[in-house]
Amino acid sequence: MMLKITIDNQTIEVEEGTTILQAARKIGGSVVPPAMCWYSKLEGSGGKCRTCLVKVSEGSAKDPRPLPKLVASCRTPVVDGMVVQNKTSPEVLEARKAIVEFLLINHPLDCPVCDQAGECDLQDLSYDNGKVSCRYQESRREFEVIDIGNLIKLHMNRCILCYRCVYVADQIAGKRVHGILYRGDVSEISTYIKNSIDHNFSGNVIDVCPVGALTDKTFRFKNRVWFLKPMTAHRDCPTCSGKVIAWMRGSEIYRITGRKDEFGEVEEFICNECRFEKKNINDWIVEGPTTLKRHSVISQNHYKEIKTPSIINPLKEKMEKQTNDE
Amino acid sequence: MSGQKINHILHQKQNIPICFSEAILQKVHKIIAHYPEGKQKSALLPILHIAQEELGGYLNVDVMDYIADLLKIQPIEVYEVATFYSQYYLDKVGKYVIEVCRTGPCAICGGEDIQEYLEGKLHIKDGETTADGLFTLKTVECLGACGFAPVMQINTEFYEHLTPAKIDIILEDLRLNATNDKHSDKTWAEKYS
Amino acid sequence: MGRKILLENSDIPNIKSFDVFRAHGGYVSVEKALKTMAPDEIIEEVKKSGLRGRGGAGFPTGLKWTFLDRKSNKPRYLVCNGDESEPGTFKDRYLMEKLPHLLIEGMICSSFALGVNTAYIYIRGEFKYLLGILNQAINEAYKNGFLGKNILGTNFSLDMYVHPGAGAYICGEETALLESLEGNRGNPRIKPPFPAVVGLYDCPTVVNNVETLANVGYIVNFGGDAYASIGLGKSTGTKLISACGNINNPGVYEIELGMSVEDFIYKEEFCGGIKDKLELKAVVPGGSSVPIVPKELILFTASGEKRLMTYESLAEGGFESGTMLGSGGFIVYDQNACIVRNTWNFSRFYHHESCGQCSPCREGTGWMEKILWRIEHGHGNMKDIDLLISIADKIEGNTICPLGDAAAWPVASAIRHFREDFIFHVQYPEIVKNIKHGALYKYDNQD
């Protein structure tokens, strides 16, 4: 049976078991709530960051009463006749603003030295939903730096505890040696004992990390992502699909990542050999430049035709407006 | 409330051989049988309590790895749990761990003063252990004995309606008994018979 | 007024033992249920009784039971929530210590009604001493044929085990409790699905509070109507109230719902008035999570009626002027209590107990604590007071589980009713810094 759902006045029919967020992604555009922890390819993910909260203004066709609280759209299944508000609900926008603030109060805001800058979900989220000023005057949380191996760099101070990397280790990268330790606002990603995260597919934790908490050590401080040209490439890999994006400057490959869709999710997980070891142009068959489907700083490079200056100017206006509001 | 770094250092494995006694092992297997087959991980919390008590007073990496092996789970799953719950100690503690409740109802009945008194008496601060290795002092959140405030637990035994005079007696008693082994009827394992 | 259901026999010597308990009418309900009633009849009686969850939320127990998925072929579980950790609440501990068999009796009847063959009692780790008491009682019940295979010769079988936690307030939340029971970190699950459908080991599960389950024996024995005739309106039956704070007689009291708050505070057989002949300042009537209310609003509602010990009366006026019965953790503050310090204290508690899974609670509880610490220690400024309200407002309703709300309400209500105390702290930091807190002087002349 197909279920009917209306999100921000747009109606779509979806299969049973679809969540509100998945339905919204089917519609696309501005009705899609942001998701920092949910990942369609990782079972059990979602529900934690609360950025995808939406208002259910009519519960179902049978019982059209609204749900009392905002719900996490990533984990709430569609019920036939549901009416949902995302961008059209001031309550949702207000809550989202609050979540961004919560995520940022202990974030180091070290974007100038962070490799993730330019392709960071948290940056995008705060541009879209955050405020310019900060109400937080207390000291920020700081963790001891721990080493998790030669390939992946862990910056715990930047982590938003989305749990995605834990699910990757559980579901695709074999024996898990890292996890969430301790609790509350001092909980952290750690191995507890000296240990390195190395498994054929462990590098995927970098691709799923929404922030700069897990970055590629072989690419560390090598370049800013927006100076690189993303090229679709592939190779005949015995372990994975070998379908990647090679990030190049001139004829030099700076880094390899999985191919990502418009929501920033990888299409296929790639193996560590492809990601970390194949940095020579001769290792790859380069298909050509790619268009990044995702709305972010990195999508503003030479390969996308910018119809309107959609990022820079609205942002400027927005910032000016908010500064005046404060 | 300071801006100090969160001190979560990486722990070291000593590779010391560790094993429960035969009698305890039997109890452990009995506890595992409380849960459906394949759900042996359920026994983790009670077994960690027993391990902490029987295998040196705190959960070092070797002990946790042994438990992981016993329950056929990954060591990280044990670390995750041990670091979540406040009753598991990750570092060495004294023979007697004094946990003073400082939450609301105890606080308004003198819980904070009790802590201060103990700090003065034992010459240690919150979280520290006396030089003789006898006492560790910790503040904890609500112990669920608010009507008997102020309250503390020493090795999970409750001491209620505390006053400085009472504390003097309790500490003196413990010092005198320190050489004796703990009454076995007060251990976690015994509570399961 | 004054009828007792749970603690009627609590003072009988050795009522803890099976023989004494049985001699005073114990386990009669199990015989009646298993031999003369159909499971659905019991559920019907519980519905009729109007019994509401005694853990804090007050959800109708019978209704909760009807949500249990009976269509699936998976085993069903009953889990008793004895993770009593709400500051101000210590009634379940008292009940399990005094009358372990009363709980077991209620759980057998409930398990029979729900078609459950395995039941767990989850107690908080700090209650280690209860583990021995409960295990002994369970062993006695097995020996006497009330647990195990083919109970009383019927084809109903039930196994019961006690499971200790290890120090985490969050495990009182039912899905966190299930995670903990499965040997995991106590992270609450994302709902839906609810435990009634996907609970322990992904099987249909009912989680009920200790006091709730202890009432079931009475309902089976005397019927739902008899139970509903006790109490007032929708607040049926009796309620265990744990009274603590600055009162003359702290302790656990079983009251018939409907008595006045004033009587409860001042009558000699209950709290016995405020200690040291001081004045009442404020009350938190349902455990630290519920809004704190000043004297005038705990004794009378905003419209001037006498406030009663019922779910409805305590909640009258909403969060503007009312509060909640919650878990019945009744904390009383005298005129000398510092509301700012107490609010900081509670805030520290929630910060410490947040599991850290969802962002508003993880970050917000710590933020509130830090601000409250500053105000209490003479480093606050006026803007902080409204900032606190704003943070509380943004945590509330946006979290996975109710811990976020529980952290927000005490802060918001303290500022709502005692704003002048906060302003004083900001205006006179030097005075605030030099106040000696604590109460030990009160004990100097004792013993």
Side-chain angles (χ1 to χ4, degrees):
Chain A
M1 189 187 129
M2 295 298 274
L3 310 173
K4 208 165 86 176
I5 176 168
T6 307
I7 307 172
D8 283 354
N9 306 317
Q10 297 195 56
T11 304
I12 190 173
E13 290 206 331
V14 294
E15 279 173 25
E16 216 174 322
T18 310
T19 64
I20 297 174
L21 184 73
Q22 284 168 316
R25 285 188 177 183
K26 278 196 173 151
I27 298 171
S30 74
V31 309
V32 186
M36 301 291 288
C37 67
W38 186 75
Y39 209 80
S40 67
K41 288 155 192 86
L42 298 172
E43 199 189 319
S45 64
K48 296 177 171 57
C49 71
R50 318 303 283 172
T51 53
C52 73
L53 290 176
V54 292
K55 186 173 174 60
V56 176
S57 44
E58 291 182 28
S60 69
K62 267 190 210 149
D63 183 359
R65 285 177 303 173
L67 296 187
K69 288 179 180 182
L70 303 182
V71 301
S73 58
C74 64
R75 289 289 293 267
T76 309
V78 172
V79 182
D80 192 41
M82 215 179 219
V83 178
V84 172
Q85 289 179 290
N86 176 33
K87 280 268 167 75
T88 53
S89 158
E91 203 184 327
V92 168
L93 297 179
E94 196 52 43
R96 201 161 289 157
K97 212 188 226 177
I99 303 296
V100 175
E101 183 174 33
F102 285 131
L103 287 175
L104 289 179
I105 60 169
N106 275 304
H107 193 79
L109 299 176
D110 56 349
C111 311
V113 294
C114 177
D115 277 330
Q116 189 87 356
E119 56 177 10
C120 174
D121 287 348
L122 188 57
Q123 269 184 335
D124 292 351
L125 186 76
S126 39
Y127 282 141
D128 288 343
N129 302 284
K131 316 179 173 195
V132 178
S133 66
C134 174
R135 302 189 292 171
Y136 187 73
Q137 319 168 5
E138 328 303 324
S139 56
R140 282 173 200 263
R141 180 171 60 221
E142 242 187 288
F143 291 93
E144 292 286 343
V145 177
I146 64 161
D147 182 15
I148 57 166
N150 299 328
L151 301 173
I152 304 161
K153 173 76 190 168
L154 170 65
H155 276 280
M156 192 52 219
N157 294 347
R158 297 176 187 153
C159 176
I160 60 157
L161 290 166
C162 70
Y163 287 57
R164 281 178 186 173
C165 62
V166 180
Y167 293 113
V168 166
D170 261 342
Q171 291 166 29
I172 58 169
K175 190 176 154 188
R176 177 158 69 89
V177 298
H178 81 284
I180 311 280
L181 301 179
Y182 307 92
R183 75 173 181 215
D185 64 355
V186 297
S187 44
E188 66 170 326
I189 305 282
S190 173
T191 46
Y192 194 72
I193 51 171
K194 193 164 171 35
N195 215 334
S196 56
I197 299 179
D198 49 4
H199 173 276
N200 252 342
F201 280 82
S202 64
N204 289 294
V205 298
I206 298 166
D207 278 352
V208 301
C209 184
V211 293
L214 293 164
T215 51
D216 183 341
K217 266 193 180 171
T218 65
F219 174 64
R220 204 162 178 237
F221 303 142
K222 292 267 165 65
N223 220 309
R224 306 286 357 193
V225 289
W226 56 86
F227 292 138
L228 300 175
K229 295 170 185 171
M231 309 288 262
T232 316
H234 70 268
R235 68 183 269 266
D236 195 13
C237 175
T239 324
C240 70
S241 69
K243 290 179 186 163
V244 303
I245 296 208
W247 295 77
M248 303 180 66
R249 197 163 178 176
S251 60
E252 209 178 325
I253 295 182
Y254 274 75
R255 67 164 181 167
I256 302 287
T257 67
R259 295 183 188 172
K260 292 190 179 178
D261 65 16
E262 59 188 301
F263 307 111
E265 289 193 15
V266 293
E267 283 160 9
E268 278 171 281
F269 292 114
I270 59 167
C271 72
N272 281 8
E273 194 187 340
C274 286
R275 183 187 305 272
F276 297 118
E277 289 167 31
K278 303 290 173 192
K279 295 286 177 85
N280 192 312
I281 186 89
N282 299 324
D283 294 331
W284 297 97
I285 297 154
V286 178
E287 295 160 31
T290 181
T291 307
L292 293 172
K293 294 166 195 144
R294 184 166 159 242
H295 152 93
S296 186
V297 179
I298 41 164
S299 53
Q300 302 304 305
N301 61 20
H302 320 289
Y303 296 100
K304 191 175 171 191
E305 190 194 341
I306 304 170
K307 289 184 194 110
T308 53
S310 61
I311 293 290
I312 305 301
N313 283 342
L315 184 64
K316 198 172 153 228
E317 278 168 28
K318 196 176 165 191
M319 285 174 74
E320 280 164 357
K321 187 177 169 289
Q322 283 204 352
T323 322
N324 295 337
D325 287 351
E326 290 300 324
Chain B
M1 292 298 104
S2 67
Q4 278 174 356
K5 271 194 186 177
I6 295 160
N7 186 27
H8 291 171
I9 42 132
L10 290 182
H11 287 68
Q12 293 272 338
K13 188 164 171 147
Q14 310 285 327
N15 288 313
I16 321 158
I18 280 179
C19 195
F20 281 131
S21 71
E22 202 46 52
I24 297 286
L25 208 54
Q26 264 181 14
K27 286 216 165 115
V28 163
H29 284 294
K30 226 174 110 184
I31 294 171
I32 294 175
H34 290 176
Y35 308 96
E37 220 176 311
K39 305 292 180 192
Q40 75 280 1
K41 195 188 174 187
S42 278
L44 183 54
L45 269 66
I47 290 177
L48 283 178
H49 278 304
I50 295 176
Q52 175 160 292
E53 206 166 57
E54 304 289 332
L55 302 173
Y58 73 108
L59 296 174
N60 60 39
V61 178
D62 297 73
V63 170
M64 288 197 273
D65 285 4
Y66 169 66
I67 303 298
D69 197 46
L70 205 68
L71 292 176
K72 301 181 189 74
I73 53 178
Q74 297 297 337
I76 188 73
E77 296 180 73
V78 182
Y79 311 151
E80 283 177 329
V81 167
T83 54
F84 185 89
Y85 296 95
S86 60
Q87 283 191 295
Y88 300 130
Y89 311 132
L90 305 166
D91 298 301
K92 204 165 172 41
V93 288
K95 185 178 171 82
Y96 300 107
V97 182
I98 305 175
E99 299 183 311
V100 186
C101 177
R102 55 169 180 174
T103 311
C106 269
I108 58 171
C109 295
E112 290 162 322
D113 297 345
I114 294 292
Q115 170 70 10
E116 211 170 284
Y117 183 76
L118 276 163
E119 284 182 1
K121 175 116 188 149
L122 297 170
H123 306 293
I124 48 173
K125 295 251 171 280
D126 184 10
E128 294 176 349
T129 303
T130 50
D132 58 6
L134 219 48
F135 298 104
T136 297
L137 188 58
K138 272 174 190 268
T139 47
V140 292
E141 300 297 348
C142 190
L143 290 170
C146 321
F148 320 102
V151 175
M152 67 181 180
Q153 277 198 327
I154 301 180
N155 294 358
T156 63
E157 292 297 314
F158 277 95
Y159 293 84
E160 297 161 348
H161 296 299
L162 295 171
T163 65
K166 250 188 186 173
I167 288 175
D168 289 349
I169 299 168
I170 294 166
L171 292 185
E172 205 42 51
D173 267 6
L174 292 175
R175 274 210 183 92
L176 288 174
N177 286 322
T179 43
N180 302 340
D181 264 347
K182 218 186 294 176
H183 294 296
S184 65
D185 64 330
K186 286 186 177 171
T187 64
W188 281 98
E190 193 55 40
K191 309 260 176 214
Y192 266 104
S193 60
Chain C
M1 287 282 156
R3 279 172 286 183
K4 286 184 177 177
I5 292 175
L6 302 168
L7 301 184
E8 184 69 55
N9 293 335
S10 64
D11 290 334
I12 296 170
N14 211 16
I15 190 77
K16 234 185 258 186
S17 81
F18 178 87
D19 294 333
V20 178
F21 183 75
R22 183 87 171 112
H24 287 86
Y27 289 99
V28 170
S29 68
V30 175
E31 290 174 312
K32 183 178 177 189
L34 268 56
K35 290 184 173 162
T36 70
M37 293 174 85
D40 284 345
E41 282 176 69
I42 300 175
I43 296 179
E44 209 40 55
E45 292 302 324
V46 172
K47 271 162 111 178
K48 260 196 250 169
S49 74
L51 174 63
R52 293 165 69 167
R54 300 293 194 227
F59 193 80
T61 307
L63 188 60
K64 189 172 188 174
W65 286 9
T66 58
F67 295 154
L68 187 73
D69 180 8
R70 288 145 176 284
K71 282 178 226 140
S72 89
N73 293 323
K74 292 178 179 170
R76 293 171 216 151
Y77 292 100
L78 173 68
V79 179
C80 168
N81 185 345
D83 187 62
E84 183 172 61
S85 321
E86 175 90 4
T89 314
F90 46 99
K91 63 181 178 78
D92 294 339
R93 149 196 162 125
Y94 185 83
L95 195 63
M96 289 188 280
E97 181 182 344
K98 294 271 177 188
L99 295 153
H101 284 289
L102 187 69
L103 171 63
I104 297 170
E105 180 180 355
M107 284 182 72
I108 300 172
C109 294
S110 308
S111 299
F112 177 69
L114 295 164
V116 162
N117 300 114
T118 311
Y120 292 98
I121 303 173
Y122 184 105
I123 55 167
R124 61 180 294 190
E126 288 86 345
F127 292 169
K128 176 168 96 173
Y129 76 105
L130 287 180
L131 182 63
I133 294 173
L134 288 169
N135 271 335
Q136 199 190 336
I138 288 174
N139 287 343
E140 287 175 342
Y142 268 104
K143 264 183 217 139
N144 289 283
F146 284 93
L147 284 173
K149 284 213 168 13
N150 302 105
I151 296 169
L152 303 175
T154 64
N155 55 13
F156 175 66
S157 302
L158 176 67
D159 284 314
M160 193 179 289
Y161 307 104
V162 190
H163 181 100
Y169 167 75
I170 188 62
C171 292
E173 197 276 342
E174 59 177 10
T175 57
L177 184 146
L178 295 177
E179 282 293 317
S180 183
L181 189 46
E182 291 185 12
N184 299 327
R185 294 161 63 83
N187 284 350
R189 296 175 180 171
I190 322 286
K191 286 161 281 185
F194 290 91
V197 183
V198 182
L200 185 63
Y201 311 125
D202 292 340
C203 299
T205 305
V206 167
V207 184
N208 280 141
N209 173 260
V210 173
E211 187 189 344
T212 314
L213 290 167
N215 273 306
V216 175
Y218 179 93
I219 295 169
V220 169
N221 277 336
F222 302 101
D225 289 333
Y227 189 89
S229 73
I230 306 168
L232 187 69
K234 282 186 175 173
S235 296
T236 61
T238 64
K239 174 90 190 78
L240 296 182
I241 305 290
S242 342
C244 63
N246 308 132
I247 46 171
N248 283 317
N249 314 325
V252 178
Y253 300 97
E254 181 172 14
I255 61 156
E256 188 170 339
L257 288 168
M259 76 181 296
S260 80
V261 175
E262 192 174 2
D263 284 351
F264 184 71
I265 296 176
Y266 292 105
K267 276 204 169 164
E268 203 41 53
E269 63 263 46
F270 300 108
C271 300
I274 311 303
K275 210 165 182 172
D276 302 332
K277 301 202 169 67
L278 294 172
E279 270 295 308
L280 171 64
K281 181 170 188 178
V283 171
V284 175
S288 62
S289 309
V290 310
I292 188 169
V293 279
K295 178 182 179 178
E296 56 278 14
L297 285 175
I298 191 67
L299 300 180
F300 299 96
T301 64
S303 53
E305 282 167 45
K306 262 192 178 232
R307 189 82 81 175
L308 306 177
M309 297 290 277
T310 63
Y311 290 97
E312 294 74 22
S313 176
L314 283 170
E316 200 176 310
F319 280 4
E320 275 311 306
S321 61
T323 173
M324 285 156 83
L325 180 58
S327 60
F330 199 88
I331 313 169
V332 180
Y333 298 87
D334 68 27
Q335 66 198 61
N336 293 335
C338 172
I339 299 299
V340 178
R341 191 172 184 81
N342 182 68
T343 310
W344 162 59
N345 189 301
F346 282 163
S347 183
R348 186 193 63 213
F349 173 81
Y350 290 106
H351 176 204
H352 183 260
E353 299 299 340
S354 166
C355 79
Q357 207 187 183
C358 67
S359 13
C361 177
R362 177 181 67 237
E363 306 295 347
T365 51
W367 193 3
M368 287 200 299
E369 192 213 325
K370 285 173 184 169
I371 297 172
L372 281 161
W373 182 89
R374 279 200 287 106
I375 298 178
E376 166 60 21
H377 292 84
H379 307 288
N381 59 57
M382 283 303 169
K383 264 169 126 182
D384 286 337
I385 302 173
D386 286 322
L387 179 58
L388 279 170
I389 293 192
S390 166
I391 300 169
D393 180 53
K394 284 177 169 150
I395 299 174
E396 189 185 339
N398 290 338
T399 53
I400 294 176
C401 82
L403 192 140
D405 302 346
W409 292 340
V411 176
S413 61
I415 299 177
R416 186 181 310 127
H417 298 302
F418 298 96
R419 185 179 274 265
E420 61 279 21
D421 290 25
F422 287 83
I423 293 174
F424 181 88
H425 275 69
V426 173
Q427 274 177 338
Y428 304 103
E430 288 314 312
I431 298 178
V432 170
K433 278 182 200 166
N434 292 321
I435 295 175
K436 176 83 184 85
H437 290 281
L440 266 199
Y441 64 90
K442 293 181 184 172
Y443 298 93
D444 281 352
N445 301 325
Q446 288 184 11
D447 282 333

